[in-house]
Amino acid sequence: MLQTRKNRISMELPNKNQGTIKYNLHKLYLILAILLGTISAVVSPIFNEPDGPYHFEASAKIVGLVVDTSRYGESEVTSGMSGQSAAYLDGTHFEKYYLNQAYITSYKNIPRDISAKPGSFGWWGHLVPAAGIWVGYHIYPSLGVMTIFGRLLPLFIYSLAMFFIIKRLRRGKLTFTALMLSPVVISQFSSFSYDALSYLIVAAAIALAINIVDRNKIDTKSILELLLMSGVLYMGVKTNFKTIIAFYPLIVFAIFYTRYKEKRVLKRERLRGNLSEDDLITRVHKKSSVFGLKFLLIGSGVFASLAALILALQSYGGIIYVLKRFVFNLIRNLASSSLLSMFSSPYRTNQIPAWVTIAWFIVFAICLLSEEHFVKSKLISYGAGILFLANIAAVYFSFMVSGYVDSTTSTANQILGAISGVQGRYFTPLLLLLILFVGNKKFKVKVEMSNSIIVTVVGLVVVSNVILIINSLWTLISA
């Protein structure tokens, strides 16, 4: 078939653009994730991640290689391994943890319940690290070698999976790349934690939603993909992440409704030229009546929801008391450790400088604003924003009603209803929902994506991850 010069130029442009960094963010992600993750896996202290010993033993149990950590001076399976400090200072750390062979024992001898039924969230989350531990044991059966390979295998598998997710993503590539290279995510990918699998699945689930919204089309393939992903979410993530399942029907409804409105607009434009003045007046009256009915239905729904919420909170001291506790929690707890652990500090002892977290919030906001506006439905955008906020409220509420007491949290703060510990990492992957919120076509603020923004993201990624690794070592040595 003959081609004009204009057609040849238009066909060549995409190929030319493919060579720019903007169109190769998935490759940039994979390089940085493997590089920084490998450094984190090898250099970071053993069990420096939150609940590290527990996640190691839960993974090791799957392959029958539970290690008796009491021989390393640890009598409990809690968080961290405080006994490493002396070995680092006197220079015997490598010999003690990497050269001495580990003593394998029964999981029944471990002073903590590490049971995880096959097929459960905990079992799936520890499956890949378990395979890494098995590989490490058969290379050399020491705690250090088992730890390194138990970290490296999930790092490679999860990073490669994320590479393909970003590659197939239609919108929001820079935001995905930045968030998935944050110190919190990199440290989780290069650890035994089941949070890493949750992050991967949530990213895949939100990427699927973004692609379907961008196509603005629901077909049999889309429905099957949503159903399959709903099943994966149900089995493979923490409870608060499962709320994404409820977001899928909203997307389907919103797309159908948007396409219906678009057809109505076209039909109205075709008929408008054939209508008389009396017909136009009649249509205006009908439209006003429909609008009033919609307003009445929405108002009734909001009123009923508020009434149900007030009644539900009566058993927890009433809505005023609950709101007061929530506000105190935002000021006293969430605004400190939980916010810090969204991007840069997965554990309270990492002592990451505040400026790192501030820089991450600023850069992440710039990434969001530089993405294309592609969402046609306000319902989808508002739904994504509400879902993100609802997850924070849900985690807060679960701590408030559970009776859980954190020994590191002051009694007054606990009574007021703190989200104990460093729980910001529970919300980290849900930040990707904001792509759908900010990406609405009627959202006015827009930043032009440029190489300087991408370079800034890369610089912050490298600097903040290095700071986390150094501070983890420094905290252990200076303990």
Side-chain angles (χ1 to χ4, degrees):
M1 188 175 79
L2 294 176
Q3 294 179 351
T4 64
R5 183 174 181 274
K6 181 178 180 181
N7 289 336
R8 287 198 301 271
I9 292 174
S10 65
M11 291 178 66
E12 290 171 0
L13 284 177
N15 293 330
K16 183 179 179 181
N17 289 338
Q18 292 297 326
T20 64
I21 188 171
K22 177 181 177 181
Y23 292 92
N24 289 279
L25 290 172
H26 54 290
K27 297 177 183 178
L28 178 66
Y29 164 79
L30 187 61
I31 293 170
L32 290 175
I34 296 298
L35 176 62
L36 295 171
T38 300
I39 296 173
S40 176
V42 175
V43 176
S44 295
I46 295 175
F47 307 148
N48 70 301
E49 58 266 38
D51 285 330
Y54 165 75
H55 290 299
F56 174 86
E57 299 291 25
S59 302
K61 179 190 173 185
I62 295 176
V63 289
L65 294 173
V66 173
V67 176
D68 183 3
T69 55
S70 66
R71 300 196 173 205
Y72 301 89
E74 300 296 325
S75 58
E76 297 179 337
V77 179
T78 54
S79 291
M81 183 173 267
S82 57
Q84 291 181 84
S85 298
Y88 267 106
L89 293 174
D90 61 22
T92 62
H93 182 269
F94 184 76
E95 177 183 357
K96 181 177 181 180
Y97 293 99
Y98 290 88
L99 297 183
N100 290 335
Q101 295 189 12
Y103 179 78
I104 306 301
T105 185
S106 170
Y107 73 91
K108 296 179 181 178
N109 298 328
I110 302 300
R112 180 172 176 177
D113 182 16
I114 57 173
S115 61
K117 297 180 180 179
S120 66
F121 156 68
W123 187 83
W124 286 113
H126 290 126
L127 190 59
V128 178
I133 290 174
W134 185 89
V135 171
Y137 178 82
H138 286 84
I139 291 175
Y140 188 79
S142 69
L143 178 61
V145 174
M146 294 166 69
T147 298
I148 287 180
F149 281 90
R151 289 170 171 172
L152 288 177
L153 187 62
L155 169 68
F156 291 145
I157 292 178
Y158 295 156
S159 297
L160 188 61
M162 187 59 63
F163 163 82
F164 287 110
I165 290 172
I166 297 175
K167 183 179 181 180
R168 297 191 60 183
L169 188 65
R170 296 170 67 94
R171 304 289 183 183
K173 286 179 180 284
L174 180 59
T175 304
F176 262 75
T177 301
L179 186 66
M180 291 298 124
L181 287 173
S182 66
V184 167
V185 177
I186 291 293
S187 64
Q188 294 298 308
F189 273 21
S190 57
S191 74
F192 303 101
S193 176
Y194 46 41
D195 287 333
L197 181 63
S198 287
Y199 288 5
L200 180 67
I201 293 175
V202 169
I206 296 176
L208 175 62
I210 289 173
N211 286 348
I212 291 176
V213 171
D214 183 60
R215 289 196 300 265
N216 196 36
K217 180 181 178 182
I218 297 295
D219 51 19
T220 303
K221 180 184 176 183
S222 300
I223 296 296
L224 291 176
E225 288 176 338
L226 292 174
L227 290 174
L228 178 60
M229 185 57 69
S230 296
V232 174
L233 283 166
Y234 183 78
M235 293 188 298
V237 299
K238 284 187 173 180
T239 304
N240 67 307
F241 295 144
K242 294 178 182 179
T243 53
I244 297 175
I245 298 174
F247 186 50
Y248 285 165
L250 178 66
I251 291 176
V252 174
F253 171 78
I255 290 177
F256 275 128
Y257 184 66
T258 300
R259 292 176 68 86
Y260 167 73
K261 285 201 305 181
E262 290 173 349
K263 290 179 180 178
R264 281 187 61 190
V265 170
L266 291 174
K267 185 177 180 180
R268 188 183 302 119
E269 290 177 352
R270 291 171 184 172
L271 294 176
R272 184 170 295 171
N274 300 325
L275 293 176
S276 64
E277 185 176 347
D278 291 337
D279 291 331
L280 286 172
I281 294 173
T282 303
R283 289 177 64 85
V284 168
H285 282 302
K286 287 183 178 180
K287 188 174 181 179
S288 300
S289 301
V290 171
F291 176 79
L293 181 60
K294 286 183 179 179
F295 182 80
L296 180 62
L297 291 174
I298 293 173
S300 300
V302 172
F303 179 79
S305 299
L306 288 175
L309 179 64
I310 292 172
L311 290 174
L313 295 179
Q314 282 301 113
S315 57
Y316 301 107
I319 189 170
I320 301 299
Y321 179 62
V322 169
L323 288 175
K324 181 177 71 174
R325 293 176 68 177
F326 186 61
V327 170
F328 271 103
N329 184 74
L330 286 172
I331 297 172
R332 175 64 181 87
N333 185 274
L334 186 60
S336 55
S337 59
S338 291
L339 286 181
L340 287 172
S341 60
M342 273 190 179
F343 291 107
S344 56
S345 181
Y347 198 42
R348 78 177 85 226
T349 58
N350 292 135
Q351 299 179 3
I352 299 297
W355 68 263
V356 177
T357 298
I358 295 172
W360 263 106
F361 273 101
I362 294 173
V363 169
F364 186 74
I366 293 174
C367 289
L368 283 173
L369 296 176
S370 68
E371 302 291 359
E372 294 295 328
H373 295 168
F374 64 100
V375 184
K376 295 182 178 180
S377 172
K378 289 184 179 180
L379 188 60
I380 292 176
S381 294
Y382 289 143
I386 291 172
L387 179 60
F388 174 72
L389 296 176
N391 266 275
I392 297 177
V395 172
Y396 154 76
F397 193 76
S398 66
F399 272 92
M400 189 190 78
V401 302
S402 66
Y404 173 78
V405 177
D406 186 348
S407 59
T408 61
T409 305
S410 66
T411 303
N413 190 29
Q414 187 68 44
I415 292 174
L416 289 172
I419 299 179
S420 301
V422 185
Q423 312 301 347
R425 66 184 186 276
Y426 290 169
F427 317 125
T428 298
L430 294 171
L431 286 164
L432 297 173
L433 286 169
L434 299 181
I435 296 173
L436 292 165
F437 179 73
V438 177
N440 194 280
K441 284 183 172 294
K442 295 187 178 181
F443 194 80
K444 301 299 182 183
V445 183
K446 180 73 169 68
V447 175
E448 189 65 31
M449 186 182 296
S450 62
N451 286 342
S452 60
I453 293 177
I454 298 175
V455 170
T456 301
V457 170
V458 172
L460 180 60
V461 163
V462 173
V463 170
S464 58
N465 275 281
V466 170
I467 287 176
L468 175 62
I469 295 170
I470 293 175
N471 278 19
S472 298
L473 285 167
W474 178 258
T475 301
L476 181 65
I477 295 172
S478 61

